[in-house]
Amino acid sequence: MHIRFLGGAREVGRSAILVNDRLLLDYGMKTGNPPQYPVDAPDPDAVVVSHGHLDHVGAVPSLLAGDRRPPIHWTPPTRELALVLARDTLKLHGGTYDCPFTEQEVKRVTQVSQTHGYRETFEAAGHEVTFYNAGHIPGSAHVLVDDGDTRLFYTADFHTESQRLVSASTARPDADVVVCESTYSDVEHDPRQQTEERFVESVRTTLWEGGTVVVPAFAIGRTQEMLMICAAHDVDCYVDGMGKGVTRMLRQHPEFVRDPDALRRAKSNARFVTGRDGQRERIADQNTVVVTTSGMLSGGPAMTYVPAVRANPTNKIAMTGYQVEGTPGRELLDRGRAEIDGRVMPVSAQVESYDFSAHADRDGLLDLLGSYRDAQVLVNHGDRCEAFAEELGGEGFDASAPGPGDELTV
Ligand SMILES: [Zn+2]
């Protein structure tokens, strides 16, 4: 088997792996200014997508340029999320150099889409492919690829601890080669329940004191998780931004959600914000909780809520995910100020950060890899891939960390 890393190698973002020059696994983009794409524009016979996050699916419509029509294989939620993200990218960058595809190419996505459930083997570009639940977000998959000689297990993003929204990754099919993500290879998460309890207690304190709590959250996965936590603890909340539509969509795919009833309760516990007639400014004045995009304060209705609550030290901004260097969310955590629409504002409201990660931590990565002691391990999707590969080597693994553009035969 021939493997070429086109992106997501020794980095997080723009994931893309070409197998046997024919089968493309993921085709993501790395947000930033300007956005970055995989190192080469491949012309695959088929595309397989692990899950509906921008860094894995963001550039997929561009594979349908001209008269190219490779089938795209994914789970039903991944298909929906890919379309949500593509439309959002068009809205943000459409018609500019930063947009890798056109509206027409996005429309073609539905024509070539082929959806599959977990554990249903299908054929793609001459390979046998099977998806397994990866426990990251609804519809997220580990991808097993068999070319007749070699079996490749592409973990993509995964979590070995259950979240409220999705249950943990447990499948460990036999494989000769494992491409393993390593986002949190040097992190140990606190137990989920502890993080959740700290979050709820903090929210309750602010509500008791008469403040407003703004909870910036990624639209896909995290927003639903936060709504489920609020509902489980009887905390009333509002929900705003792209996460609203994603919540409605996921209700249509109960088989990819851990507890569909709990998601239903979470949806009815949350009040959906329309944003009309100054509704957001009014909510920001209320003694309530609002879960809103974007998770790193780089856009979305959070840009209205944060300036509205920032001056009052009784209020709270509770970050719920990793803040990438250079984002306004990171700036807020590190320096206590927010840059909104080019204006830098001091923030007197309390700022807190909670690790509701949807990725395995170091123990989780080692737990999965423990089932693949005899396999060749290729570490990707992390900021310290080479260091982690070296640590695995010390544990007796045959591990390496290919760089962007690297090719190898396994
Ligand atoms: Zn992801």
Side-chain angles (χ1 to χ4, degrees):
M1 182 181 283
H2 192 74
I3 303 177
R4 181 144 188 252
F5 286 84
L6 304 179
R10 298 182 194 165
E11 64 183 339
V12 176
R14 60 170 183 168
S15 281
I17 299 169
L18 189 60
V19 178
N20 292 329
D21 292 319
R22 299 182 61 194
L23 178 66
L24 184 63
L25 308 179
D26 287 346
Y27 200 59
M29 64 187 265
K30 188 171 185 168
T31 48
N33 204 1
Q36 285 179 280
Y37 303 101
V39 294
D40 213 357
D43 185 6
D45 294 337
V47 185
V48 171
V49 180
S50 65
H51 68 285
H53 272 156
L54 204 63
D55 58 329
H56 293 258
V57 74
V60 160
S62 68
L63 298 166
L64 304 174
D67 49 15
R68 297 191 293 160
R69 299 289 182 275
I72 302 172
H73 301 272
W74 39 25
T75 62
T78 300
R79 172 193 187 273
E80 300 300 324
L81 294 169
L83 290 167
V84 167
L85 290 168
R87 289 185 200 115
D88 192 54
T89 300
L90 280 177
K91 211 162 75 185
L92 285 172
H93 305 297
T96 71
Y97 181 75
D98 283 349
C99 196
F101 47 75
T102 63
E103 202 172 332
Q104 197 167 29
E105 286 151 20
V106 174
K107 283 186 183 143
R108 287 176 193 151
V109 167
T110 52
Q111 297 164 16
V112 298
S113 163
Q114 296 189 22
T115 57
H116 310 274
Y118 296 137
R119 296 173 184 270
E120 294 169 7
T121 300
F122 58 91
E123 191 272 335
H127 299 71
E128 274 189 2
V129 180
T130 315
F131 290 144
Y132 298 90
N133 170 37
H136 176 58
I137 58 169
S140 68
H142 299 302
V143 183
L144 183 71
V145 178
D146 188 339
D147 69 358
D149 292 322
T150 307
R151 287 205 286 192
L152 165 72
F153 187 54
Y154 171 45
T155 69
D157 298 3
F158 69 96
H159 202 355
T160 47
E161 191 181 3
S162 285
Q163 307 171 63
R164 285 187 181 269
L165 185 59
V166 284
S167 48
S169 148
T170 53
R172 304 290 178 259
D174 279 347
D176 308 297
V177 187
V178 178
V179 174
C180 187
E181 71 123 316
S182 60
T183 319
Y184 288 111
S185 68
D186 60 349
V187 171
E188 278 172 36
H189 301 318
D190 289 335
R192 189 75 165 199
Q193 202 188 333
Q194 247 177 50
T195 308
E196 194 175 303
E197 278 162 15
R198 271 195 299 119
F199 170 79
V200 170
E201 197 174 299
S202 172
V203 164
R204 285 210 175 110
T205 304
T206 299
L207 293 177
W208 178 257
E209 291 170 355
T212 311
V213 185
V214 176
V215 183
F218 307 125
I220 297 171
R222 194 62 41 83
T223 289
Q224 295 77 41
E225 186 78 7
M226 300 320 293
L227 298 187
M228 292 176 88
I229 291 171
C230 286
H233 294 273
D234 280 322
V235 174
D236 294 341
C237 64
Y238 286 92
V239 58
D240 203 351
M242 212 168 99
K244 290 181 297 183
V246 174
T247 306
R248 288 193 195 99
M249 183 277 285
L250 290 177
R251 288 270 298 121
Q252 310 305 312
H253 296 282
E255 67 277 30
F256 291 92
V257 168
R258 181 182 170 192
D259 182 348
D261 274 339
L263 182 61
R264 179 184 53 76
R265 286 194 297 274
K267 182 172 172 280
S268 48
N269 178 66
R271 278 165 288 181
F272 282 53
V273 179
T274 61
R276 279 194 285 270
D277 308 324
Q279 189 193 10
R280 289 182 178 126
E281 285 78 3
R282 281 199 307 279
I283 290 170
D285 264 343
Q286 286 177 32
N287 184 207
T288 191
V289 178
V290 55
V291 178
T292 181
T293 51
S294 82
M296 298 190 207
L297 304 181
S298 48
M303 312 323 271
T304 305
Y305 294 111
V306 169
V309 304
R310 71 178 171 94
N312 184 346
T314 311
N315 294 335
K316 188 170 281 169
I317 302 165
M319 312 301 285
T320 58
Y322 182 70
Q323 303 297 313
V324 171
E325 197 74 52
T327 59
R330 183 63 172 265
E331 176 81 1
L332 178 62
L333 278 183
D334 289 352
R335 297 196 182 76
R337 56 187 198 188
E339 191 183 326
I340 306 285
D341 293 331
R343 275 177 62 211
V344 179
M345 314 172 180
V347 173
S348 312
Q350 301 159 59
V351 179
E352 294 177 350
S353 174
Y354 295 88
D355 179 5
F356 285 109
S357 176
H359 289 268
D361 63 3
R362 185 181 179 86
D363 285 347
L365 296 170
L366 293 172
D367 177 61
L368 179 138
L369 288 172
S371 300
Y372 297 99
R373 289 218 151 257
D374 300 325
Q376 181 175 352
V377 176
L378 303 172
V379 175
N380 77 340
H381 198 286
D383 295 326
R384 56 185 301 282
C385 295
E386 290 159 288
F388 186 52
E390 209 162 293
E391 289 156 16
L392 289 173
E395 303 278 326
F397 284 94
D398 171 6
S400 59
D406 282 3
E407 334 191 14
L408 50 151
T409 303
V410 292

